[in-house]
Amino acid sequence: MNSKVKLKEVYEVQSEYKAFYTGGTVCWTNDGQQFLCQNNGAIWIVSVENQNEPITLGEQQTEDEIQEDIIFTFAINGAGTRIVSAHRSSLYKLWDQETRTVLKMWKSSHQGPTTKLIFSPDDELVASGGSDSTIRIWDPSKQVCLGTLRGCTGVVNLIVFHPDMATKIIIAAGDDDKILAFDYLERRVIKTFAGHFSRVTGVSFSEDHQYMVSSGRDKILILWNFDTQEAVKTIPVYEALEAVIVLPNGTRIGGVKLEENYVYAACAGEEGVIKVWEMTEARIVYKQTNALVERAAEEGGLAISQLFYNQSLGQMAIVSADHNILVHDIATFECVHQLAGFSDEILDIVLLGKRDRYLAMATNSNNFKIYDTTTMSCQLVQGHTDIVLSLSTNDRYLISSSKDHSIRLWRFDEEQFKITCVAVGLKHTNAVGCVAMSKISGNFCVSVSQDKCLKTWKIPKTFPAPDGEELPRLQCSLTELAHDKDINCVCISPNDRLVATGSQDKTAKLWDVSNLAVVGVFRGHRRGIWAVRFSPVDQILLTNAADCCIKLWSLTDMTCLKSLEGHDSSVLRVEFLSNGMQLLSAGADGLLKLWSIKTSECVQTMDKHDSRIWALCLTRDESAFYSGGSDSKMIKWHDVTESKRKEESDQRKQMLLEEQELNNLLSEKKLLKALRLSLNLNRPLSTLKIINEVIKSQEQAGLVDTVRKLSNDHKETLLVHAVEWNTNSRNCRPAQLALHILMQEILAGRFEVSELNKHLEASLPYTERHFKRLTGYMTDLKFVEFSLRCMQPHACKME
């Protein structure tokens, strides 16, 4: 081992990437720069261009405070300056979007939760729909209800203002199949549109306001003549729809120009694909071919939950059921932005690209994600048909394994931020739990599966062009029935000659890459092994298991060299760092630990995760690492060892200078100046000597002025010291003097103590004892004086 390697001592959180959308309402600002998302009862504002630091609306609250008054729904006005939110406490709050502060607050009149909020087109009114089947019209500037509209059935799920505010009409739908049009000034139903057979999910008006298009869960689109209430056209679309938007004529979508004098409606639902229908002739003019949203698993399920159209930017945004937000350029329908709102359980993380700029993350999903770490912009990678379990990378490729019994090889283009699948391996018969790629040659990879098999795969230098939709197949060169139970992990040695596997059968095995012959078996763990790692410099294999232990094994004689115990739950992942001199481990209790192998001691424990940590990934220079787990948080930690050492060195230098200055002041008898410095250095003995010297020199008045000018922290330090001195009768006089001055400061309101009761309780018994002793001394002294007076006449006679 290289003794010159500087060991790590302290890692701190550099950034924390949490979920910003967990389901519910999403709003898109008119400038297209921000999304407002509902996240566990709060509103988060995320930038489309830079998703590094989403903003929470309002002051920073704890999770308990948020849960006490969660937000049910919200809306943003057309200008993007005001936000209105409905809370569990039956309050409505009007927010200023720029300052993110509450401007107004008023009580809701709904009997139950508010399910829908919307601003009028002129931003003057707010309409609210509740679970009590009523709609209320509000003037937010005066916080008054202008009217209550009744007629809906069940929960009000849909509210739309008529685009022409002069009509004073609002459209609403409940849990039934009817669409109602209200005159909100006269508070009555003026039109009823009955044509759907299930819940209505969307309503949109044509440019001339003559026609209205509605979508529903009954798998139909209906074109209505708004004036006559007649269903002009009913189109079966064969999928449950969640949203519909009428597109303006002349718009170019996906290379198709929408002609004049027709009504075009873009809709989305369970298929996860955007379709544009020409409503009068019932024909599809455009169907999305590059969908990044998977079809709903069940009939009638959700795939796309919301749809937005920004005419000024020429963009369309999709909110998927798995909490992703996708922004498409309407002309080409290419995806220009992808926002991953919620990652669920993070299973694996790998870094790729130059300077580790890009990060691939496998979550509890069929798609894995590629992030640009500078902006945290995301790209969903489709290909697998079941949950992706593991990722591995080298300088050329990235490989993924899945529950769909396959592995896939991907080529990544850094310049275009694009990843493409170049080959697929299909020889496993069960979920492929882990894959690893050779680092030096890059011409093979290994995989392990729940079918208990270890396989090696050849990676050719070039791949033939795909034949239609069929991808080239990876050639499986060797297969071995490796363990008696599920295999959890696999790792390739730094020289590409050995492979290690760890299994639920409590053993780890060492294999020769050339023929998959068993080189050695490691027994000693009491439970299943979760990970194996080769030391980067020594002939050492590391294993960690569910028995809370980390073991280091010699590859020469297969013996256990060390066993590190410190975790209180299963150790799920361990990585070598500092040239194999240190370890970084992650546990099922959410703790990360930094170990020194030489001393077998835990150097640091990091506690930021709330649950199991499945993923660890170090940067090449080991200056930072990423961790992710079942709490859906990814945290970036950076090494602050050098800065901490420098800070401690600077503090020691400063302390030495101040101590020298204190000694100089004491030697020069500048006691009152020395007092402040002694308190700053937290030196109880020096402070005691100074106050004793003050008492001897009769400078109590100067001491009072000096204490009065001290900061609150210095006064509290002096109080702590005085309480401590007060326990010794020898120091009772300086202690009582300091306590007296400080009590005067407290009474005058110039000194605030955080734990005054605690200090008083500590000092009172000793003060009473000192008072009792001094009272006894005074009594004895008076008796001596009396005796002397009585003896004086007799002394004169004797003379």
Side-chain angles (χ1 to χ4, degrees), residues 457-472:
W457 308 78
K458 287 184 179 177
I459 300 176
K461 292 183 178 179
T462 58
F463 291 91
D467 183 13
E469 294 185 359
E470 280 289 321
L471 286 167

Side-chain angles (χ1 to χ4, degrees), residues 28 245-248 251 307-312 314-317 330:
W28 195 15
I245 296 173
V246 174
L247 299 175
T251 303
L307 200 59
F308 302 97
Y309 175 57
N310 191 310
Q311 187 172 353
S312 60
Q315 292 180 342
M316 186 175 285
I330 199 78

Side-chain angles (χ1 to χ4, degrees), residues 332-404:
T332 61
F333 226 80
E334 290 295 322
C335 186
V336 291
H337 297 291
Q338 299 182 38
L339 292 80
F342 179 59
S343 295
D344 202 2
E345 194 162 3
I346 299 172
L347 303 178
D348 203 1
I349 297 171
V350 293
L351 290 166
L352 63 156
K354 296 177 181 177
R355 299 181 182 177
D356 298 323
R357 177 176 174 179
Y358 299 97
L359 181 144
M361 178 197 295
T363 63
N364 215 9
S365 169
N366 302 357
N367 308 326
F368 64 91
K369 303 178 178 77
I370 303 284
Y371 288 92
D372 184 337
T373 56
T374 56
T375 61
M376 290 312 290
S377 58
C378 173
Q379 181 180 338
L380 296 173
V381 183
Q382 292 181 312
H384 287 286
T385 57
D386 208 336
I387 292 173
V388 178
L389 297 174
S390 176
L391 300 168
S392 182
T393 184
N394 62 14
D395 293 335
R396 294 173 60 204
Y397 299 109
L398 181 143
I399 193 164
S400 60
S401 69
S402 167
K403 280 188 176 181
D404 62 7

Side-chain angles (χ1 to χ4, degrees), residues 117-350:
L117 284 170
I118 187 169
F119 276 93
S120 61
D122 60 3
D123 295 342
E124 295 296 324
L125 302 175
V126 171
S128 64
S131 57
D132 58 357
S133 308
T134 64
I135 301 153
R136 298 182 188 274
I137 310 298
W138 304 88
D139 183 343
S141 61
K142 299 177 181 177
Q143 304 111 62
V144 294
C145 180
L146 303 178
T148 302
L149 311 178
R150 292 180 173 85
C152 292
T153 302
V155 178
V156 178
N157 296 298
L158 179 67
I159 306 174
V160 176
F161 276 94
H162 193 284
D164 184 1
M165 284 299 295
T167 61
K168 309 298 181 185
I169 293 175
I170 192 168
I171 313 298
D175 284 334
D176 60 351
D177 51 15
K178 292 182 176 60
I179 304 170
L180 303 179
F182 296 88
D183 185 317
Y184 57 79
L185 286 185
E186 297 183 6
R187 305 175 196 175
R188 63 184 179 88
V189 178
I190 57 173
K191 295 177 190 292
T192 302
F193 301 86
H196 285 279
F197 303 100
S198 186
R199 186 163 76 83
V200 180
T201 56
V203 167
S204 184
F205 283 88
S206 61
E207 282 187 288
D208 58 5
H209 308 159
Q210 181 181 354
Y211 294 101
M212 180 178 76
V213 179
S214 63
S215 63
R217 292 279 178 87
D218 52 4
K219 305 184 180 182
I220 61 173
L221 279 173
I222 300 180
L223 177 66
W224 304 89
N225 185 310
F226 187 74
D227 295 329
T228 63
Q229 305 173 51
E230 176 189 359
V232 178
K233 201 75 175 179
T234 300
I235 304 174
V237 294
Y238 307 108
E239 63 167 325
L241 298 178
E242 286 297 318
V244 64
I245 296 173
V246 174
L247 299 175
N249 292 336
T251 303
R252 184 175 291 276
I253 178 166
V256 178
K257 187 175 181 180
L258 305 184
E259 300 174 9
E260 299 291 336
N261 303 320
Y262 289 98
V263 178
Y264 297 93
C267 61
E270 65 175 311
E271 285 188 15
V273 175
I274 304 296
K275 297 175 186 175
V276 179
W277 290 82
E278 195 287 296
M279 296 299 297
T280 55
E281 296 181 2
R283 59 188 173 91
I284 297 178
V285 296
Y286 175 76
K287 182 178 179 180
Q288 185 184 2
T289 57
N290 60 344
L292 294 170
V293 181
E294 294 184 353
R295 184 187 177 94
E298 301 175 354
E299 186 177 354
L302 283 176
I304 294 176
S305 58
Q306 295 180 62
L307 200 59
F308 302 97
Y309 175 57
N310 191 310
Q311 187 172 353
S312 60
L313 292 177
Q315 292 180 342
M316 186 175 285
I318 301 167
V319 181
S320 68
D322 52 359
H323 310 113
N324 296 318
I325 302 172
L326 311 171
V327 181
H328 292 266
D329 180 83
I330 199 78
T332 61
F333 226 80
E334 290 295 322
C335 186
V336 291
H337 297 291
Q338 299 182 38
L339 292 80
F342 179 59
S343 295
D344 202 2
E345 194 162 3
I346 299 172
L347 303 178
D348 203 1
I349 297 171
V350 293

Side-chain angles (χ1 to χ4, degrees), residues 535-552:
S535 170
V537 291
D538 294 324
Q539 293 187 15
I540 290 174
L541 181 73
L542 177 149
T543 60
N544 56 274
D547 59 3
C548 312
C549 287
I550 303 168
K551 291 182 182 291
L552 297 170

Side-chain angles (χ1 to χ4, degrees), residues 49-119:
E49 298 291 342
N50 191 336
Q51 300 146 44
N52 264 320
E53 295 182 1
I55 302 165
T56 306
L57 196 66
E59 296 180 359
Q60 194 67 32
Q61 294 176 301
T62 64
E63 290 187 8
D64 292 338
E65 289 173 338
I66 291 172
Q67 290 303 317
E68 283 179 9
D69 193 20
I70 65 171
I71 294 172
F72 289 132
T73 186
F74 65 93
I76 187 168
N77 65 356
T81 57
R82 297 289 183 267
I83 300 165
V84 64
S85 58
H87 296 252
R88 176 185 280 173
S89 58
S90 298
L91 288 176
Y92 291 158
K93 294 181 181 179
L94 185 69
W95 305 78
D96 182 272
Q97 201 274 348
E98 186 176 351
T99 62
R100 300 184 293 280
T101 56
V102 177
L103 301 176
K104 298 178 188 291
M105 191 185 308
W106 68 95
K107 188 77 173 175
S108 162
S109 304
H110 287 285
Q111 299 298 315
T114 298
T115 55
K116 195 71 179 174
L117 284 170
I118 187 169
F119 276 93

Side-chain angles (χ1 to χ4, degrees), residues 466-525:
D467 183 13
E469 294 185 359
E470 280 289 321
L471 286 167
R473 299 290 176 85
L474 287 174
Q475 182 184 349
C476 179
S477 53
L478 294 168
T479 300
E480 185 68 33
L481 186 63
H483 288 269
D484 299 330
K485 292 185 179 180
D486 295 352
I487 308 174
N488 291 330
C489 51
V490 65
C491 184
I492 299 174
S493 64
N495 60 5
D496 287 352
R497 293 182 181 178
L498 298 172
V499 171
T501 57
S503 168
Q504 285 295 107
D505 64 8
K506 309 174 190 176
T507 66
K509 292 185 180 181
L510 198 63
W511 309 84
D512 190 321
V513 168
S514 60
N515 56 9
L516 287 191
V518 178
V519 178
V521 180
F522 304 94
R523 294 184 176 89
H525 284 289

